[in-house]
Amino acid sequence: QQQVKQSPQSLIVQKGGISIINCAYENTAFDYFPWYQQFPGKGPALLIAIRPDVSEKKEGRFTISFNKSAKQFSLHIMDSQPGDSATYFCAAFYSGNTPLVFGKGTRLSVIA
Amino acid sequence: ETGVTQSPTHLIKTRGQQVTLRCSSQSGHNTVSWYQQALGQGPQFIFQYYREEENGRGNFPPRFSGLQFPNYSSELNVNALELDDSALYLCASSSSSLGGETQYFGPGTRLLVL
């Protein structure tokens, strides 16, 4: 059973455009939702994270939107740049030193 | 850079062999989690170590085992390697006193089983 479903699998965006990646979860016990960015040959790097008591969190060009009732959250990358080209993973976690549960990833390509 | 280091960076083994991967956690972190990332997939949880004891395990067979040392560094051991064990192995460190949700990943060890 896949607890976190991520879409789309791949995304091509023009430079300066908005990239949007969506995730849906099933377990209502999840209380922390991070996004990771991974470049080829590297480990995932924490990008931004949100808790369900907040509907939106913004850090620079990156924004998480969270819809608790729909059990969905999304990552928006404003003014997308070629350097943003990477694979993005959403994840979910619930308190108690439990593991992160990852989505399958979205490969983003930002073209000039 | 997260401060989490892993060694070796790459490894080639043959089926049936055994392998040991190493991880040094970020300073101040007492928990290490290991993940397997197959090509084109998200990381899958293998197990977690806290205070030198296994503190949770994913859906991996017993031939995957680990250790955590008093300095919080950790090892992942895989016995009787199979072709499907070819993957990127990631360790992540976190602090239980901070809730454990913020996990910082190392660069990974790329294992190829022939």
Side-chain angles (χ1 to χ4, degrees):
Chain A
Q1 182 186 16
Q2 188 184 351
Q3 295 193 61
V4 179
K5 294 183 179 180
Q6 183 171 347
S7 62
Q9 199 170 14
S10 63
L11 182 62
I12 299 174
V13 173
Q14 291 278 351
K15 178 182 175 181
I18 302 173
S19 304
I20 302 174
I21 305 170
N22 301 299
C23 282
Y25 63 97
E26 298 168 3
N27 188 344
T28 56
F30 289 137
D31 59 5
Y32 176 77
F33 301 88
W35 284 90
Y36 283 83
Q37 178 189 56
Q38 186 176 30
F39 293 103
K42 304 290 187 183
L46 180 63
L47 197 59
I48 186 173
I50 197 168
R51 295 190 184 278
D53 55 347
V54 176
S55 62
E56 185 175 283
K57 183 175 181 180
K58 184 177 180 179
E59 289 184 2
R61 296 186 294 110
F62 301 92
T63 300
I64 301 178
S65 296
F66 189 85
N67 186 329
K68 188 174 181 179
S69 60
K71 293 189 287 186
Q72 295 176 347
F73 58 109
S74 60
L75 175 69
H76 296 234
I77 305 174
M78 313 300 286
D79 187 27
S80 299
Q81 299 297 313
D84 297 330
S85 297
T87 300
Y88 292 81
F89 293 95
C90 63
F93 172 95
Y94 61 90
S95 300
N97 270 340
T98 55
L100 289 167
V101 178
F102 284 87
K104 290 192 173 184
T106 296
R107 177 176 282 187
L108 171 66
S109 298
V110 181
I111 56 176
Chain B
E1 298 297 322
T2 62
V4 180
T5 61
Q6 291 186 243
S7 63
T9 55
H10 295 83
L11 206 51
I12 300 175
K13 292 285 188 178
T14 57
R15 195 170 48 182
Q17 284 188 311
Q18 178 265 342
V19 68
T20 297
L21 310 181
R22 296 177 176 83
C23 170
S24 291
S25 60
Q26 184 168 308
S27 177
H29 285 183
N30 57 9
T31 302
V32 173
S33 303
W34 285 92
Y35 294 82
Q36 180 195 65
Q37 185 177 21
L39 206 59
Q41 300 293 317
Q44 296 289 316
F45 175 69
I46 302 175
F47 45 57
Q48 182 184 83
Y49 275 84
Y50 170 65
R51 288 188 173 180
E52 302 178 52
E53 292 192 1
E54 189 177 290
N55 183 43
R57 188 178 186 93
N59 189 25
F60 281 81
R63 59 189 186 82
F64 285 78
S65 63
L67 284 173
Q68 187 180 33
F69 301 98
N71 66 354
Y72 305 128
S73 65
S74 178
E75 285 183 356
L76 164 65
N77 300 290
V78 187
N79 293 320
L81 283 166
E82 300 177 0
L83 297 179
D84 284 349
D85 295 334
S86 296
L88 181 67
Y89 287 86
L90 297 161
C91 79
S93 78
S94 57
S95 171
S96 61
S97 63
L98 299 176
E101 67 269 13
T102 304
Q103 299 189 15
Y104 297 95
F105 285 83
T109 294
R110 174 75 63 186
L111 173 64
L112 178 62
V113 182
L114 301 175

